[in-house]
Amino acid sequence: MSKSKRLMELMMTVNRMRKFTVGELATQFGVSSRTILRDLQELSELGVPLYSEVGPHGGYQVIKERVLPPIAFSEEEAVAMFFASHSLRHYPLLPFETESSSALNKFYYYMPGDVRDRIDQMKNRVDFFTPTRQKESPYLSVLLQGAIEQKVIHIQYDSREGDSCRLIQPVGIYANNGFWYCPAYCFLREDFRLFRCDRMLAAQIDESAEPLDHRHVHLGNWETFSKRQRVDVRFYVELTKVGIQRCEAELCPIPNLVVCPDGSGYLDSLIPQSEIPFFASFFLGLGTDAIVKEPQELVERMKQMLARIQSIYG
């Protein structure tokens, strides 16, 4: 194996391993320990942050802020990677905002000139818009750290009942329609709840609190672990073509949506009874592009809201 190839494979190996010894690497690559020591010195000079520990259980480690090995992208892959990261700029806050901007600039800078020219030509011709929200979510990185490391977070939360302080153990965070959400186990309610991140007035890790073992809980299944008995009701809503487009753009997840050949359609699905206030506001916003047929409870809620609106503008 040539030296350059060995250095490349050695860089990928040490980035992948948590801890290693010179003897282990020498055996793996079939070279002497002296050769491995020279190679490690060269990797260090190239920017791979290595440090050594002495003693019977010592060895080498790569510190947390390590430099990843180079990856070969095709031109199409490079363009796709650029715009995937570029699209995040519409979110005013990200859990990795600084790192995302730095990585994007670095990625763009080291591209061949013709690929950069192609990206420059595409910047004003392709985009991924998301609604701009006035309220910020400054604690995304803390919540994400809590979810990954199984930490308990002490938050001050602005709920409908007023400000409250509570302990939560985040499952993760996700963005939808311009807002960030955090499903989490709430120690106050002793159950899982969904929190709006922009309503968190403060958030910090509480090292004194004992976390639960929720390594098996993730964004795809957290609702199944809730103790609350979910009561579903059937709802049926007729939609114009515009109503269909609004539902596809603004509802997530989209209930059972049926589209007819002319572009109109209907929603025929089960929804949690607790979601009726949300759907009442949503379908009122669609005006005559949505006609709610069922459930009657949803229809009555919309009538009450219309009566209040009429009293304001009557």
Side-chain angles (χ1 to χ4, degrees):
M1 182 187 300
S2 66
K3 180 180 179 181
S4 59
K5 185 177 180 180
R6 187 177 69 247
L7 285 174
M8 183 68 69
E9 292 192 10
L10 183 61
M11 180 185 294
M12 291 187 288
T13 299
V14 300
N15 270 283
R16 189 170 57 248
M17 300 173 68
R18 290 180 177 270
K19 191 173 183 179
F20 52 88
T21 65
V22 171
E24 290 172 344
L25 294 179
T27 301
Q28 182 173 341
F29 285 90
V31 296
S32 68
S33 297
R34 182 174 296 181
T35 299
I36 288 294
L37 283 171
R38 285 199 300 265
D39 289 347
L40 291 175
Q41 178 63 33
E42 290 195 38
L43 289 185
S44 181
E45 293 172 357
L46 290 172
V48 179
L50 298 167
Y51 74 93
S52 61
E53 295 179 340
V54 297
H57 302 290
Y60 280 85
Q61 288 189 5
V62 182
I63 64 175
K64 186 177 180 180
E65 300 297 327
R66 60 185 181 272
V67 177
L68 299 180
I71 303 174
F73 291 106
S74 68
E75 181 176 332
E76 293 301 323
E77 289 172 337
V79 172
M81 290 286 290
F82 178 87
F83 279 100
S85 181
H86 186 62
S87 65
L88 296 176
R89 75 191 188 284
H90 292 299
Y91 281 92
L93 286 173
L94 294 168
F96 31 74
E97 183 176 14
T98 304
E99 295 84 354
S100 175
S101 176
S102 173
L104 188 63
N105 292 334
K106 189 181 297 184
F107 195 63
Y108 177 81
Y109 179 79
Y110 284 103
M111 284 183 182
D114 59 328
V115 179
R116 288 203 304 270
D117 292 341
R118 183 182 175 191
I119 287 176
D120 290 339
Q121 293 170 0
M122 294 176 65
K123 276 183 179 179
N124 295 325
R125 301 186 183 278
V126 59
D127 210 340
F128 307 87
F129 287 109
T130 190
T132 301
R133 304 299 182 183
Q134 297 300 317
K135 297 187 70 176
E136 296 183 344
S137 303
Y139 304 108
L140 296 178
S141 58
V142 176
L143 296 171
L144 182 57
Q145 180 185 356
I148 294 172
E149 300 179 3
Q150 296 284 290
K151 299 284 189 179
V152 177
I153 310 293
H154 183 274
I155 66 170
Q156 182 182 353
Y157 193 67
D158 180 15
S159 64
R160 294 177 181 176
E161 294 78 23
D163 291 359
S164 63
C165 292
R166 60 182 79 186
L167 296 176
I168 65 170
Q169 186 170 330
V171 173
I173 56 174
Y174 68 87
N176 178 32
N177 204 25
F179 290 111
W180 283 94
Y181 295 87
C182 177
Y185 182 84
C186 177
F187 287 85
L188 176 65
R189 306 299 183 193
E190 297 184 338
D191 199 3
F192 288 93
R193 293 289 189 270
L194 182 63
F195 297 90
R196 273 261 301 271
C197 297
D198 58 290
R199 291 179 180 168
M200 294 185 184
L201 308 177
Q204 62 180 10
I205 293 176
D206 189 334
E207 297 290 356
S208 63
E210 185 68 26
L212 302 174
D213 185 3
H214 284 167
R215 287 172 294 181
H216 58 292
V217 184
H218 52 76
L219 291 179
N221 68 5
W222 70 272
E223 290 182 285
T224 64
F225 293 94
S226 176
K227 300 175 185 176
R228 288 193 293 182
Q229 293 295 321
R230 171 170 161 168
V231 178
D232 289 334
V233 293
R234 178 178 180 267
F235 83 141
Y236 184 88
V237 185
E238 296 177 352
L239 299 163
T240 66
K241 184 177 180 179
V242 173
I244 289 285
Q245 293 170 348
R246 289 280 301 277
C247 287
E248 289 178 329
E250 299 175 35
L251 288 182
C252 182
I254 301 176
N256 186 28
L257 182 64
V258 179
V259 182
C260 301
D262 65 352
S264 65
Y266 59 90
L267 285 171
D268 187 357
S269 183
L270 295 175
I271 63 168
Q273 192 173 33
S274 59
E275 294 294 317
I276 284 179
F278 165 79
F279 281 105
S281 297
F282 176 76
F283 288 125
L284 271 182
L286 267 59
T288 57
D289 290 311
I291 302 177
V292 177
K293 298 293 186 178
E294 295 183 49
Q296 190 60 33
E297 184 180 353
L298 177 56
V299 175
E300 294 301 323
R301 175 64 72 110
M302 294 173 67
K303 287 181 179 179
Q304 294 170 9
M305 296 176 68
L306 283 170
R308 288 197 295 269
I309 293 172
Q310 189 175 21
S311 68
I312 294 173
Y313 296 102

